[in-house]
Amino acid sequence: MKSTDAKTPVATIEPTKLEKHGDVRIDNYFWMRLSDEQKNADHKDAQTQKVISYLEEENAYYKEVTKYTKPFQEELFEEMKGRIKEDDSSVPYKDNGYFYITRYEVGKQYPIYSRKKENLEAEEEILFNVNEMAKDFDYYQLGGLNVSNDNKLMVFATDTVSRRQYFLRIKNLETGEIYKDIIENTTGGSVWANDNKTIFYTKKDPVTLRSEKIFRHVLGTPTSEDVEVFHEKDDTFGTYVTKSKSEKYIIIGSYSTVSTEARYLDANDPTGEFTILQPRERDLEYSVSHFGDHFYLLTNKDNATNFKLMKTPINKVGKENWVDVIPHREETLLEDFSIFKDYLVLEERSNGLSKVRIKRWDATEDYYLPFTEETYSVGVYANPDFDTDIIRYSYNSFTTPSSVIDFNMNDKSKEIKKEQEVLGGKFDKENYISKRVWATARDGKKVAISLVYHKNTELNKDTPLLQYAYGSYGYTIPDSFSTTRLSLLDRGFVYALAHIRGSEYLGREWYEDGKMLNKKNTFNDFVDCSKYLIDNNYTSPKHLYAMGGSAGGLLMGAVVNMNPELYNGIIASVPFVDVISTMLDESIPLTTGEYDEWGNPNDKEYYDYIKSYSPYDQVEAKVYPNIMVTTGFHDSQVQYWEPAKWVAKLRELKTDNNLLFLDTNMEAGHGGASGRFDALKETAKMYTFFLALEDKLEVVKIKS
């Protein structure tokens, strides 16, 4: 990037002594932390003004240094926007006599939700035009849409702050009236009882945002009279309420990282008492569905590390009555299942690849859907219709745009309902190459790297390569198509997705080997993948870039402390970097519920281990690569002060003249901007950071 005379922000040093287990840490930037009350107060106190001034100073610095890239950012935004079908719509799905559709209009940021009765030629009924609802807000999220059984009422949830604290309201779909009932501070989820007047919903703790209570609300009664039907008192657990696909049961679930518990109620008896299915036990997980006379359970019972499917009679629900339906398999992770009248559909993962298995209940057929690409992503939709032979699923890969496919499980025919359109007239999947390679980690484990690049890109030490990963919570990043990524591939970048430990890419053990006291395997895997890509001449440290968000931002912070010399630049989005302080603070959202992911630092063994990799605590006086950090002022998942403190400490200690940016969205939270075009602008900013470091702002794109 070009040199500039912009004044580098300098945060005030105000040492705060933090002591635990006899260990003393000095946090020079603890003062940056504000409470929600301070952030949202009409009149800002001195500390709040000081923090906001610092964040705005960082934003101004970023804008000043990168102002010469602004025309390119706009060009990139228009390029990415130009690939999107602006007047797009979803494939209609049928539920209880209506086809439901989500569509967009040209130039509009938000979706329009509608439905048609019985057939697609019927008159469209607009349920919600989110563009109208969002017009007075900087951030707007609509979710939790839930229709009553008689199709007359709909619960909907709104968040206008981006802290995932939703208001629940009810709309009369016949009259258009929105009822006065307003339920505050919910997760956004709700369930209708079968009487069409009772809903169950989940409330959050207003400070920690833990989902902790289930309430029952009866239409037309004051919300102050809502009845608490369940309180999850264990602060390491959260809770939720759902309904079985059969519509017969309302189910309350409690969950932690390593344990779950469910209780159920006849949906025709909303004032009845919930019955526990199986009391919680540490290291026993199960999720429940209903079919016929049985509950079906996806569970790790009997040391089924990769999970198995079991069933139990609805009148004998304890675990001693559970029997295998699909036994445990060492090489296959059972991720999910769907129940239909004549079929059982299983979503599995083997050797890193997703598979869809279809099995008739009468055992006359058992087969897998065929997929031929080396890397791909497939997912089964919710499929609300129970009495059908049709299963709907999505398929895409690094080079194949997403398709929505209806597959007839009876005659094995398929109908592609929709293929993602890539506008602009320049995309041809044959111009791109994707493959999977395996790096050997330092402990001998093989780590998969999925790669995609333009066929005309030469692979050598001068090739720019962006390496991405997440690596936590057992979440596996899919090898999926991206229209925005084309802007990098068409400028000569290779994109590499590293399937490091902490995900479940190679089964549940792959996750277990990347959490708690094994967490450093996640970071080591990423670094070892980087070294593999360099050693095998895909790129070099001068042209290797890395990116990750949230827990993937922790990954970025860890690897630049470990091996800063491997990367020319990194982007850490909403990064979880002040791990030890956050995990010691039970008032912060997510903390107590995540002890089984990271460890509880109130235990000295975990304190010492977490501190040894916590990015904020491990910043040293040395050369760091070019770094861009993004955050949201209202982020409830990773509080803004974590990245802000990290950047301030990096500025204080780093010994280089490389770029360091903190870009704070003062209106958004963890997920960034809410509008589809605003989100593209954020992507354009991040891609510009890499392209500017590579000095490719003026480079003509690769000829197809």
Side-chain angles (χ1 to χ4, degrees), residues 616-632:
Y616 182 64
D617 293 282
Q618 296 304 318
V619 173
E620 297 174 332
K622 61 184 176 185
V623 174
Y624 282 88
N626 298 285
I627 299 174
M628 178 177 179
V629 182
T630 69
T631 188

Side-chain angles (χ1 to χ4, degrees), residues 29 53 89 102 191 229 250 254 314 325 464 518 526 548-549 551 612 614 628:
Y29 305 105
S53 294
S89 63
T102 304
V191 169
V229 297
I250 292 166
S254 292
I314 57 176
V325 178
N518 295 320
F526 191 89
S612 72
S614 175
M628 178 177 179

Side-chain angles (χ1 to χ4, degrees), residues 573-643:
S573 300
V574 292
F576 176 38
V577 285
D578 191 11
V579 187
I580 195 73
S581 293
T582 292
M583 293 305 299
L584 282 169
D585 190 341
E586 296 181 5
S587 72
I588 294 177
L590 302 184
T591 293
T592 55
E594 305 214 340
Y595 287 154
D596 290 319
E597 178 72 27
W598 310 102
N600 183 348
N602 291 297
D603 178 328
K604 189 175 187 303
E605 181 182 23
Y606 285 104
Y607 175 92
D608 292 340
Y609 187 77
I610 294 171
K611 183 185 174 185
S612 72
Y613 69 73
S614 175
Y616 182 64
D617 293 282
Q618 296 304 318
V619 173
E620 297 174 332
K622 61 184 176 185
V623 174
Y624 282 88
N626 298 285
I627 299 174
M628 178 177 179
V629 182
T630 69
T631 188
F633 189 53
H634 297 285
D635 195 335
S636 62
Q637 309 296 104
V638 178
Q639 309 288 333
Y640 73 89
W641 63 75
E642 291 198 39

